[in-house]
Coordinates of all heavy atoms in Angstrom, one line a residue:
I408 N 13.5 -9.2 -20.2 CA 12.8 -8.4 -19.3 C 13.7 -7.5 -18.4 O 14.6 -8.1 -17.9 CB 11.7 -9.2 -18.5 CG1 10.7 -8.2 -17.9 CG2 12.3 -10.1 -17.6 CD1 9.3 -8.7 -18.2
T415 N 7.8 8.2 -17.5 CA 7.0 9.4 -17.1 C 5.8 9.0 -16.3 O 5.4 7.8 -16.4 CB 6.6 10.2 -18.3 OG1 5.6 9.4 -19.0 CG2 7.7 10.6 -19.1
L420 N 1.0 5.6 -15.7 CA -0.5 5.5 -15.6 C -1.0 4.5 -16.7 O -1.9 3.7 -16.5 CB -1.1 6.9 -15.8 CG -2.6 7.0 -16.0 CD1 -3.4 6.5 -14.7 CD2 -3.0 8.4 -16.3
M619 N 2.0 5.3 18.8 CA 3.3 5.5 19.5 C 3.7 7.0 19.5 O 3.5 7.6 18.5 CB 4.4 4.7 18.7 CG 4.1 3.3 18.4 SD 4.3 2.3 19.9 CE 6.1 2.3 20.1
Q623 N 7.3 5.7 22.5 CA 6.6 5.0 23.6 C 5.2 4.6 23.2 O 4.6 5.3 22.5 CB 6.5 6.1 24.8 CG 7.8 6.7 25.3 CD 8.7 5.6 26.1 OE1 8.1 4.9 26.9 NE2 10.0 5.5 25.7
H649 N 5.7 19.5 16.1 CA 5.3 20.2 14.9 C 4.2 21.2 15.3 O 3.0 21.1 14.8 CB 4.7 19.2 14.0 CG 5.7 18.1 13.7 ND1 6.7 18.1 12.7 CD2 5.8 16.8 14.2 CE1 7.4 17.0 12.7 NE2 6.9 16.2 13.6
F658 N -10.4 13.3 10.3 CA -10.0 11.9 10.7 C -10.9 11.3 11.7 O -11.4 12.0 12.6 CB -8.5 12.0 11.1 CG -7.6 12.1 10.1 CD1 -7.0 13.3 9.8 CD2 -7.1 11.0 9.3 CE1 -6.1 13.5 8.8 CE2 -6.3 11.2 8.2 CZ -5.7 12.4 8.0
R666 N 0.2 20.4 23.0 CA 1.1 21.4 23.5 C 0.9 21.7 24.9 O -0.3 21.8 25.3 CB 1.0 22.7 22.6 CG 1.8 22.6 21.3 CD 1.8 23.9 20.6 NE 0.6 24.2 20.0 CZ 0.2 25.3 19.4 NH1 1.1 26.4 19.5 NH2 -0.9 25.5 18.8
S668 N 0.5 23.8 28.2 CA -0.1 25.2 28.3 C 1.0 26.2 28.8 O 0.8 27.4 28.7 CB -1.3 25.2 29.3 OG -0.9 24.6 30.5

Side-chain angles (χ1 to χ4, degrees):
I408 195 131
T415 64
L420 172 64
M619 306 286 291
Q623 305 286 315
H649 305 276
F658 284 98
R666 276 188 284 173
S668 54

